[in-house]
Amino acid sequence: MTEHIVHPGPGRFLARCLLMLAAVLLLAACQTVPNKYGLSAEQVAALEKIGFVETEDGWGLNLSGSILFDIDTDQISSETSVIIERVVDTLRDIRVDAVRVEGHTDNTGAPDYNMALSERRAEAVARELARHGLTYGSIIRRGFGSMRPIADNATPAGRAQNRRVAIIVPAA
């Protein structure tokens, strides 16, 4: 008695390969793919939920969530402290532990004074971030003085918007 081995034809082999390829692609599509900043879709969604927007070098807290200061002060209000606490809670929940804090001023006053004031503002927010649970050493602090206004310094409302600190989740 002769034993016959049946080999699948090239069509069946190709069909199996295509089926396996489709399964691999389907599984790959289900994986969380980081965006260009190294953040997952879930991390981005959480940042957006509290007011962060995509910038050219990471994710930054937008104007509606900006931390504003009174004239000639680096003191953080109780309302600002609540905002910072919410930011820290979100950052910890999504496992982001490094941020950059950028201090800004309006254009009143001498440029050197404004630079120092913006640095103090960034430092004040960094200390508050650390007080609420971020590691102080993972917070980069920068002052820009009045060099990067986001509103017109010709009006009191515009100057108020420029007295701010931005919190940036930098690109990984």
Side-chain angles (χ1 to χ4, degrees):
M1 170 159 144
T2 307
E3 191 174 314
H4 287 53
I5 299 175
V6 177
H7 295 284
R12 290 180 87 187
F13 178 74
L14 181 59
R16 279 186 170 164
C17 287
L18 288 175
L19 186 59
M20 288 175 51
L21 178 61
V24 168
L25 290 175
L26 183 61
L27 287 173
C30 293
Q31 300 297 316
T32 300
V33 178
N35 70 1
K36 65 183 177 181
Y37 301 113
L39 299 173
S40 70
E42 293 81 11
Q43 289 172 311
V44 168
L47 290 173
E48 287 176 334
K49 185 175 181 180
I50 62 169
F52 279 78
V53 295
E54 187 174 4
T55 67
E56 57 192 42
D57 62 346
W59 284 85
L61 198 57
N62 68 14
L63 180 60
S64 66
S66 293
I67 298 162
L68 305 174
F69 291 86
D70 288 331
I71 296 171
D72 195 27
T73 183
D74 59 5
Q75 298 300 306
I76 294 176
S77 68
S78 58
E79 295 86 15
T80 300
S81 181
V82 170
I83 292 169
I84 292 172
E85 183 175 17
R86 188 175 59 229
V87 168
V88 170
D89 288 346
T90 299
L91 293 174
R92 285 193 326 221
D93 287 348
I94 63 172
R95 298 168 315 283
V96 169
D97 55 8
V99 297
R100 186 173 67 242
V101 177
E102 298 179 347
H104 302 273
T105 67
D106 61 28
N107 68 347
T108 58
D112 289 346
Y113 181 82
N114 283 340
M115 184 60 70
L117 178 58
S118 69
E119 290 168 355
R120 290 195 317 269
R121 287 175 174 169
E123 180 62 32
V125 170
R127 283 192 312 269
E128 191 71 8
L129 287 164
R131 186 174 80 80
H132 288 292
L134 280 189
T135 303
Y136 182 77
S138 69
I139 304 168
I140 297 169
R141 298 160 303 281
R142 291 184 182 162
F144 290 98
S146 61
M147 294 186 301
R148 295 184 177 178
I150 58 170
D152 186 356
N153 273 311
T155 67
R159 287 189 297 275
Q161 289 180 15
N162 290 328
R163 294 188 300 268
R164 71 193 191 285
V165 167
I167 299 173
I168 309 293
V169 175

